[in-house]
Amino acid sequence: MNTPATPAHREHTAASGADLPAPAAVEVSGAHKWYGPHHVLDGIDLTVPAGQVTAVLGPSGSGKSTLLRAVNHLEKLDAGHVRVNGELIGVRRQGSRLRELAPRAIRAQRARIGFVFQGFNLFPHLTAVENVAAAPVATGRRTRAQAQERARELLAGVGLGDKGDAYPRQLSGGQQQRVAIARALALEPGVILFDEPTSALDPELVGEVLAVISALAEGGTTLIVVTHETGFAREVADDVVFLDGGRIVEQGPPEQVLVDPVHERTREFLSRVL
């Protein structure tokens, strides 16, 4: 597995041209979400530049997963909006209002945004190759033969070249999550979202999944990772966001947020998890 890219390495790689700010891959603007009386997202504004890695930390119930799911419209915002690579997600502007897109259009947008769930979400009746190939075939991007050939390449890339014909029940949790990552890559998304990708794994399996995510970061893929792995965030993230009560309490480079946080709530949280 490749050595994880550090943020400084990616900054150096990106600085080969003009000294211009990176275009935003993801923009969350004024995001509000209520579940009954519970204000889960309370006016979130977040910009993730293209090619960068943002780690989202926070206690249970802080809104982390809801924020992530709003990026690809698995959660509908009650106010605010999301853009990915400049395109409104899940809605269209009609005059001064935002209107919901048709389900087919939303599915097409989601195909350009990879999502890796904490519970793997693999089809149990399909082999690893078939799981990875399913979406490219369903969307008409590849023939079945082409999709399965590409699936084997992607599985080899996450260290599972010999597991293509195995079913999920025959794989460890770490292997299943790596299949899920290969599946997310199959549609060549511009952005990949990870929702606690290691939380369902035994401790000894966490490293193999984090190594794959680190390799994606090294390749310049835009990643948003909801995680409790502060060591991973420190090594790989360009930006760390600390969420609490549906609000961004603190945001900045890892060395600031994780080593010398400004806010007392951030310090309190880190004292419990480090």
Side-chain angles (χ1 to χ4, degrees):
M1 187 61 61
N2 293 332
T3 302
T6 63
H9 168 75
R10 288 197 297 278
E11 181 179 348
H12 175 75
T13 301
S16 56
D19 187 17
L20 297 174
V26 177
E27 297 174 272
V28 180
S29 302
H32 289 267
K33 179 69 179 181
W34 283 267
Y35 293 144
H38 186 32
H39 202 173
V40 184
L41 299 179
D42 188 3
I44 296 288
D45 292 308
L46 176 65
T47 299
V48 179
Q52 292 201 12
V53 180
T54 294
V56 182
L57 308 178
S60 177
S62 61
K64 305 185 301 297
S65 293
T66 302
L67 173 62
L68 200 70
R69 291 167 65 86
V71 173
N72 74 343
H73 208 64
L74 283 172
E75 291 283 357
K76 299 178 183 180
L77 293 174
D78 294 310
H81 62 270
V82 175
R83 293 182 184 271
V84 174
N85 294 323
E87 179 183 10
L88 281 169
I89 299 299
V91 296
R92 60 184 172 85
R93 192 170 294 281
Q94 187 174 33
S96 61
R97 305 189 66 180
L98 296 174
R99 301 288 187 182
E100 185 86 0
L101 290 176
R104 183 175 181 179
I106 294 173
R107 287 195 297 271
Q109 289 185 327
R110 285 181 184 148
R112 300 192 290 273
I113 306 169
F115 201 113
V116 178
F117 299 87
Q118 58 181 309
F120 319 141
N121 283 18
L122 300 178
F123 296 113
H125 63 290
L126 299 181
T127 65
V129 160
E130 291 167 341
N131 265 284
V132 176
V137 173
T139 57
R141 294 196 185 186
R142 296 178 186 265
T143 66
R144 186 172 302 278
Q146 290 171 336
Q148 292 196 356
E149 180 181 0
R150 178 59 177 153
R152 291 189 184 278
E153 293 173 356
L154 290 169
L155 288 170
V158 298
L160 295 175
D162 60 339
K163 299 294 184 181
D165 297 321
Y167 288 91
R169 65 180 181 275
Q170 298 171 314
L171 301 173
S172 70
Q175 290 170 335
Q176 289 184 59
Q177 192 62 292
R178 284 187 280 158
V179 173
I181 293 171
R183 180 181 59 185
L185 292 169
L187 290 173
E188 301 176 356
V191 174
I192 303 181
L193 313 174
F194 292 85
D195 188 8
E196 295 279 12
T198 61
S199 66
L201 302 179
D202 292 333
E204 65 267 24
L205 302 177
V206 168
E208 64 188 54
V209 172
L210 294 182
V212 171
I213 300 174
S214 298
L216 292 176
E218 186 177 63
T221 304
T222 305
L223 309 177
I224 304 178
V225 186
V226 169
T227 183
H228 59 274
E229 299 287 346
T230 55
F232 168 78
R234 184 182 294 111
E235 291 295 324
V236 177
D238 299 282
D239 201 38
V240 174
V241 173
F242 175 64
L243 214 64
D244 190 42
R247 297 181 179 182
I248 294 178
V249 174
E250 190 155 359
Q251 179 178 0
E255 59 272 19
Q256 184 259 300
V257 176
L258 298 177
V259 178
D260 189 24
V262 172
H263 294 274
E264 176 60 31
R265 182 67 186 95
T266 313
R267 292 194 291 270
E268 178 188 354
F269 172 78
L270 292 173
S271 71
R272 296 177 178 177
V273 300
L274 291 178

